[in-house]
Amino acid sequence: MAARRALRFTAMAEGSSIGPETLGQIHDEVRRLTVAYPKLALPTLLGDLVEVQDLTFRLLEHGRVKPLQARELYLLAGITSGMLAKASHDLGNPSAAMMQARTAFVCADNADHHAMRAWVRSLQSLISYWAGRPAEAADYADLGQAAAGSVRGTTSVWLACLSARAHALLGDGEATRAAIQRAEDTRAAVQPDDLDGFGGIMTFPEPRQLYYVAEATVHLGEDAALGESQSEAAVAAYRTASEEEWAFGDEAGAQTDLALARLARGEIEGVAEAVRPVLDLPVEQRNFGITSSAQRVHAALPSGGRRATGVAADLREEIEAFTASPTSVLIR
């Protein structure tokens, strides 16, 4: 709270002109939030995100901003709006998420930042994917590819992986495999850019790529054994990931994909083992993506009727209890 108050005071003390201290402090705060977002529960970050977005908007609307300062402020406002779009998505509100994402894209446009445009299109693809609109998710991934142009940062890998997941849900095996190969080729040519320099939610590390590839293969459903081995690789990658690469939401996604892959092979005991770490997550970390992934496992579990017993029945009951208390119940 004291740090947030200091940030507001610095901005106001420098007057209507934006000084280097204000811009530097906002940049540092945005970077802190991008690094923290994949690791910390949303309720601990939401107030700071709203505060920084409001500050950048007010400075852009009412401050005397030099052209180069305006470009940086628009970029910072875009990143913050993108994180708030992700926050709305994590709370299960795709409409608000898209509204924030469109604001982020306008900011990226005003900053004339190609990588940020591509990053926002990636975010819109993610929102559409989890909202059950895979064709729209594929379209946004295509728009991102067009916006990327000469972008060589890890956002280009994210776009290919998003395309793979969307086409897998659409049942297009050829497009899915082509997108997975494109992701591998793009990864080999990556040159980290300024968005990667922010870290956290603004970059797309290799464990996350393994998770997306596994999810695409599992949902395509053509090779259950391959889906299981890829999911195991993704889970293992997150268990050994560096602090910079680890994300609780993506690790949970990899674990639910492993559960789905084992279900496809009839390994019910292995399903329970795979999904256990997910069901042990506290309410603060039960975001929309995680609860949706758990519900996919629930839907795939065999049902023996109301009086069913055994591992599958017990697991169905646990998942129902888990998804009944998502993170959104903590946000008012």
Side-chain angles (χ1 to χ4, degrees):
M1 289 175 64
R4 287 160 63 184
R5 174 66 178 127
L7 177 60
R8 290 196 305 272
F9 176 79
T10 301
M12 298 307 107
E14 288 192 325
S16 58
S17 295
I18 297 174
E21 294 303 322
T22 297
L23 204 53
Q25 277 192 291
I26 295 173
H27 186 281
D28 290 347
E29 180 67 356
V30 170
R31 188 180 186 284
R32 180 185 72 83
L33 291 168
T34 62
V35 170
Y37 198 103
K39 300 174 177 59
L40 300 182
L42 180 57
T44 67
L45 300 173
L46 194 54
D48 290 352
L49 284 168
V50 172
E51 180 93 14
V52 176
Q53 185 195 53
D54 180 64
L55 180 57
T56 57
F57 284 179
R58 282 193 284 120
L59 290 172
L60 284 165
E61 290 167 349
H62 304 299
R64 291 201 299 269
V65 188
K66 297 176 182 178
L68 287 178
Q69 292 176 322
R71 288 188 67 177
E72 185 168 358
L73 259 182
Y74 271 117
L75 175 60
L76 296 171
I79 292 171
T80 308
S81 297
M83 284 191 282
L84 281 168
K86 181 64 163 60
S88 293
H89 158 72
D90 285 341
L91 294 173
N93 190 337
S95 177
M98 277 297 183
M99 187 179 301
Q100 291 280 9
R102 292 187 181 100
T103 299
F105 193 85
V106 169
C107 291
D109 248 359
N110 278 282
D112 195 23
H113 200 290
H114 295 306
M116 188 63 198
R117 290 188 185 102
W119 189 90
V120 176
R121 292 307 190 201
S122 301
L123 181 63
Q124 290 174 309
S125 178
L126 179 145
I127 294 166
S128 299
Y129 172 81
W130 287 108
R133 302 191 293 266
E136 184 178 284
D139 289 343
Y140 273 122
D142 288 343
L143 284 172
Q145 300 275 3
S150 60
V151 172
R152 293 292 177 266
T154 62
T155 296
S156 57
V157 184
W158 190 17
L159 284 164
C161 289
L162 286 160
S163 181
R165 288 204 314 186
H167 282 107
L169 279 188
L170 292 169
D172 190 335
E174 184 177 350
T176 300
R177 288 185 290 273
I180 290 173
Q181 185 61 53
R182 189 164 65 251
E184 293 177 2
D185 295 342
T186 304
R187 173 69 68 183
V190 157
Q191 297 175 9
D193 57 18
D194 58 339
L195 293 188
D196 291 308
F198 278 91
I201 197 173
M202 301 307 298
T203 192
F204 192 80
E206 291 191 40
R208 199 174 178 200
Q209 181 178 349
L210 293 173
Y211 154 50
Y212 273 58
V213 168
E215 183 149 300
T217 302
V218 168
H219 289 307
L220 188 60
E222 293 181 349
D223 190 335
L226 179 61
E228 183 174 11
S229 65
Q230 289 178 338
S231 298
E232 287 173 342
V235 169
Y238 274 109
R239 285 176 180 163
T240 60
S242 66
E243 184 180 352
E244 292 75 20
E245 293 180 331
W246 183 78
F248 73 85
D250 294 331
E251 182 176 32
Q255 288 164 325
T256 53
D257 288 337
L258 178 57
L260 287 170
R262 287 176 175 173
L263 259 175
R265 291 168 60 81
E267 301 174 7
I268 299 298
E269 296 288 345
V271 173
E273 178 190 11
V275 82
R276 171 53 47 205
V278 179
L279 299 181
D280 288 340
L281 290 174
V283 174
E284 291 83 359
Q285 292 184 322
R286 298 178 192 177
N287 64 36
F288 181 68
I290 290 175
T291 56
S292 296
S293 295
Q295 286 169 340
R296 285 173 170 173
V297 177
H298 181 278
L301 282 165
S303 174
R306 293 178 61 185
R307 296 185 179 181
T309 60
V311 175
D314 292 344
L315 200 51
R316 287 172 67 89
E317 289 185 8
E318 278 198 77
I319 293 173
E320 288 167 9
F322 175 83
T323 56
S325 299
T327 303
S328 57
V329 303
L330 303 177
I331 307 294
R332 294 289 181 265

